Amino acid sequence: VIVQRPRDNGLKFKGFDLGVSARWLQEQRKKSLARARVGLNPREAALIERIKRLKKESGTHSPSAWTLAQRIPELRLKVDACFLSNPYATQLFLMHFHREVVRPRKLRALLELYPSQNRVIAAKLGRVLELNPESIFVGNGAAEIIQAILHRFTHEKILVNLPTFSPYYEFTRPDTQAVYNVLRKEDNFCFNPDAYLDLVRRERPDTVVLINPNNPDGGYIPYVVMRGLLEELRSVKNVIVDESFIHFACEGNGYLYRSLADQVGRLPNLTVVKSMSKDFGVAGIRAGYAVMAPDRVRTLLDNGFLWNSSGLAEYFFDLYSRPDFQAQYERERIRFIRNSRRFFAALAKIDGLHIYPTHANFALAELSGGLSADELVCRLLIRRGIYTRTCDDKKGLEAGKFVRIAARNRPENAYIIRSLRRMIG
Ligand SMILES: *Cc1c(COP(=O)(O)O)cnc(C)c1O
């Protein structure tokens, strides 16, 4: 539950006292609910217009739940299933933050002082990641890193899979051409390495991007396949692997995941990008890093990025470096993965909804019934307070058909399932 507004007592409308009884209003509400099952009432239609306008202002991203609640306070936002985070990890962070920063009155220092320089934070990260600290670049979120590397190291042509996380083609320089490898829904958005390598040989991009697991479909390329691919891609100047969702993708038993970051020492063309926003549920503090050849880190640092982190992000990275936190986080990660799998299985059972296989903490759903993706997302939002994302703006996905739904905690997941059943089941 992210935003709670006091229940309105039904006696005021936009601040004007209507002088009517709560009971009368309740009856009206019941009547309007009955009407709403058929179509949209005028109030809902007006709300939807405002939501759409806000969405338009956000480009190919969604307005944050925070923006939504501030700009359209009439919405009673209950569940944010648009943002792709582990809510248990957020809770864990908050517990430590309260105990170690807020209660001992250390918040002031975090806000008043400069954070450590990029290199100092990278050194701390190097120890916990067991990587050469000179190969680590710390970013104000992964988005900043993506922009930095695309501007600095990508020149003529970038190859990205579709559908994708849009900054990989939007943040390029104006003279960079984007080419696409389209993952087809008929193949469950599965990645085909042979077809991909053919395309690389044909197009000769200087940069290729592999997001693993992929956003927005959750498709996953197994570790051994990735290792083979990296060998085949040795002649490409920049190979970017985005592992922002890797903590949710386990192979084999024991919920283990494997990063490719330790391959950077061997492969100077490889950059592994890692956002901390999703798996740790801390998008607001803007923490991310990338692992790349030390001379590339030097090139970026020569251009700035001195204190690009923040006091909060540095506190997070310190926490992240501690064994006690790591052990607690592992428990929350596994708990969340277990719950998410149950949630996706329940989603898959809803008539009118097709769920594509996912290794991430979200699922791409295709609608087959009467409602369009847009209508479903708006109705979930205004009638149930559930925020999801249409994929109408995602290149490579047929408009009107796809919705991305993130897993949340168990009660929230149950509420999403109930609401979807009621709306389309
Ligand atoms: C969200 C996301 C990012 C950016 O995350 P930051 O919040 O900027 O750290 C990067 N890559 C992918 C694939 C994402 O989904």
Side-chain angles (χ1 to χ4, degrees), residues 207-274:
T207 305
V208 298
V209 180
L210 294 163
I211 305 174
N212 201 30
N214 195 29
N215 178 6
D217 53 277
Y220 177 65
I221 309 170
Y223 181 78
V224 283
V225 177
M226 284 299 286
R227 284 293 296 267
L229 266 173
L230 293 184
E231 289 307 321
E232 300 289 336
L233 294 170
R234 269 174 178 267
S235 59
V236 177
K237 194 172 143 242
N238 309 296
V239 175
I240 301 173
V241 176
D242 186 323
E243 294 187 340
S244 294
F245 296 96
I246 197 82
H247 288 195
F248 306 122
C250 332
E251 288 187 47
N253 299 324
Y255 297 94
L256 297 177
Y257 62 91
R258 282 196 80 173
S259 166
L260 289 160
D262 59 359
Q263 298 301 306
V264 168
R266 234 170 39 80
L267 302 167
N269 63 344
L270 176 63
T271 299
V272 176
V273 172
K274 181 82 186 81

Side-chain angles (χ1 to χ4, degrees), residues 64-312:
S64 76
W66 185 238
T67 308
L68 207 59
Q70 277 183 331
R71 294 277 297 273
I72 314 181
E74 297 92 321
L75 290 176
R76 294 200 187 130
L77 225 47
K78 289 200 184 106
V79 178
D80 183 357
C82 178
F83 173 48
L84 312 167
S85 79
N86 175 354
Y88 301 123
T90 312
Q91 204 56 42
L92 180 65
F93 174 80
L94 270 177
M95 185 192 81
H96 284 278
F97 187 70
H98 192 76
R99 193 190 289 159
E100 296 162 13
V101 178
V102 179
R103 234 188 291 154
R105 298 171 183 271
K106 290 187 180 154
L107 187 55
R108 182 175 175 128
L110 281 196
L111 304 179
E112 190 171 28
L113 307 178
Y114 277 92
S116 297
Q117 293 187 6
N118 207 307
R119 285 261 186 231
V120 177
I121 300 178
K124 295 183 199 179
L125 270 174
R127 277 194 289 279
V128 58
L129 296 169
E130 299 179 7
L131 295 170
N132 174 7
E134 288 180 11
S135 67
I136 298 173
F137 176 73
V138 180
N140 193 264
E144 182 185 58
I145 301 171
I146 294 168
Q147 190 206 16
I149 55 185
L150 293 187
H151 278 235
R152 194 70 209 181
F153 305 120
T154 296
H155 296 286
E156 288 89 38
K157 204 188 259 191
I158 186 167
L159 172 64
V160 281
N161 292 326
L162 286 186
T164 193
F165 180 62
S166 56
Y168 281 108
Y169 58 82
E170 288 174 342
F171 288 4
T172 52
R173 300 182 340 189
D175 53 341
T176 304
Q177 183 196 357
V179 286
Y180 304 108
N181 174 49
V182 180
L183 309 172
R184 290 153 30 102
K185 71 172 189 181
E186 290 76 14
D187 307 329
N188 275 338
F189 299 102
C190 250
F191 175 85
N192 178 335
D194 294 325
Y196 186 76
L197 290 170
D198 279 345
L199 189 60
V200 172
R201 280 186 280 269
R202 244 188 354 260
E203 292 286 347
R204 301 181 157 277
D206 63 19
T207 305
V208 298
V209 180
L210 294 163
I211 305 174
N212 201 30
N214 195 29
N215 178 6
D217 53 277
Y220 177 65
I221 309 170
Y223 181 78
V224 283
V225 177
M226 284 299 286
R227 284 293 296 267
L229 266 173
L230 293 184
E231 289 307 321
E232 300 289 336
L233 294 170
R234 269 174 178 267
S235 59
V236 177
K237 194 172 143 242
N238 309 296
V239 175
I240 301 173
V241 176
D242 186 323
E243 294 187 340
S244 294
F245 296 96
I246 197 82
H247 288 195
F248 306 122
C250 332
E251 288 187 47
N253 299 324
Y255 297 94
L256 297 177
Y257 62 91
R258 282 196 80 173
S259 166
L260 289 160
D262 59 359
Q263 298 301 306
V264 168
R266 234 170 39 80
L267 302 167
N269 63 344
L270 176 63
T271 299
V272 176
V273 172
K274 181 82 186 81
S275 167
M276 309 308 256
S277 299
K278 320 295 173 53
D279 34 25
F280 291 91
V282 291
I285 67 178
R286 312 304 303 127
Y289 66 87
V291 185
M292 62 186 99
D295 62 314
R296 294 190 181 207
V297 175
R298 271 196 300 277
T299 303
L300 292 178
L301 291 181
D302 282 347
N303 275 274
F305 303 109
L306 187 58
W307 294 295
N308 61 327
S309 197
S310 72
L312 286 176

